[in-house]
């Protein structure tokens, strides 16, 4: 009886191993960059992150909270600002602006509700967040909150934050 059980267990284990090997690979949840790149509202942000060499960082383990300005937010900057920031000689300024939009850790809107906070960004400077009536970050309003990525959270904002 023990031998029959052992044989059945071996066959079962072999079947599970074969099924696992034949099953299609499950794709992991998209990361912050993948989500931004697949959303038609963040073309300028993705171009800026690429120009600043921050893609690998924002595809990293994290977790990060990103306050992501839309294309419309970038378009609201004075004429020529985005083009100037994307020039190779301005990479340090671009990096400073982009990292000012990133907070270490995954912070969801329910954690911000009802609070006023000053939070250190990856840039090293603090942003002021007010969660008492919706959520604002400095002069920007969070228009869509809690887009969950494999390595953090994205909150869509309607203005570019300038350190």
């Amino acid at each position: 009886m023990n031998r029959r059980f052992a044989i059945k267990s071996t066959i079962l284990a072999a079947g599970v191993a074969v099924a696992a090997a034949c099953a299609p690979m499950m794709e992991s949840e998209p990361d912050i960059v993948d989500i931004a790149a697949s959303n038609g509202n963040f073309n300028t942000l993705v171009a800026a992150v690429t120009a600043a060499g921050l893609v690998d960082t924002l595809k990293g383990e994290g977790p990060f909270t990103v306050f992501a300005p839309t294309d419309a937010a970038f378009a609201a900057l004075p004429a020529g600002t985005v083009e100037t920031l994307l020039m190779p000689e301005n990479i340090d300024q671009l990096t400073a602006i982009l990292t000012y939009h990133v907070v270490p850790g995954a912070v969801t809107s329910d954690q911000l509700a009802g609070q006023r906070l000053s939070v250190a960004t990856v840039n090293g400077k603090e942003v002021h967040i007010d969660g008492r009536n919706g959520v604002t970050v400095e002069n920007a309003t969070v228009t869509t909150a809690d887009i969950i990525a494999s390595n953090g959270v994205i909150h869509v904002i309607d203005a570019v934050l300038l350190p």
Side-chain angles (χ1 to χ4, degrees):
M1 189 137 109
N2 285 342
R3 184 172 175 204
R4 195 174 341 166
F5 177 76
I7 292 171
K8 283 184 180 180
S9 295
T10 302
I11 292 170
L12 179 62
V16 170
V18 169
C22 293
M25 297 273 303
M26 295 296 291
E27 290 189 30
S28 63
E29 212 175 308
D31 60 46
I32 289 167
V33 175
D34 293 339
I35 290 172
S38 69
N39 182 313
N41 293 315
F42 300 114
N43 296 322
T44 306
L45 178 61
V46 171
V49 166
T50 302
L54 295 173
V55 170
D56 289 342
T57 300
L58 290 176
K59 286 178 105 21
E61 187 175 318
F64 305 106
T65 298
V66 176
F67 295 100
T70 61
D71 291 338
F74 279 103
L77 292 171
T81 301
V82 172
E83 295 77 13
T84 300
L85 287 171
L86 292 176
M87 293 178 178
E89 61 268 23
N90 296 323
I91 192 169
D92 291 341
Q93 184 180 7
L94 178 62
T95 301
I97 291 169
L98 293 173
T99 56
Y100 190 60
H101 289 78
V102 181
V103 174
V107 181
T108 57
S109 61
D110 62 326
Q111 295 170 304
L112 301 172
Q115 299 190 53
R116 288 178 62 184
L117 308 163
S118 290
V119 180
T121 65
V122 171
N123 164 305
K125 296 185 178 187
E126 290 189 346
V127 290
H128 303 287
I129 300 172
D130 189 340
R132 295 176 299 167
N133 185 19
V135 178
T136 59
V137 183
E138 295 295 331
N139 62 334
T141 300
V142 172
T143 58
T144 304
D146 302 333
I147 300 171
I148 305 299
S150 62
N151 61 344
V153 180
I154 301 170
H155 300 292
V156 180
I157 55 175
D158 64 357
V160 177
L161 306 176
L162 299 173

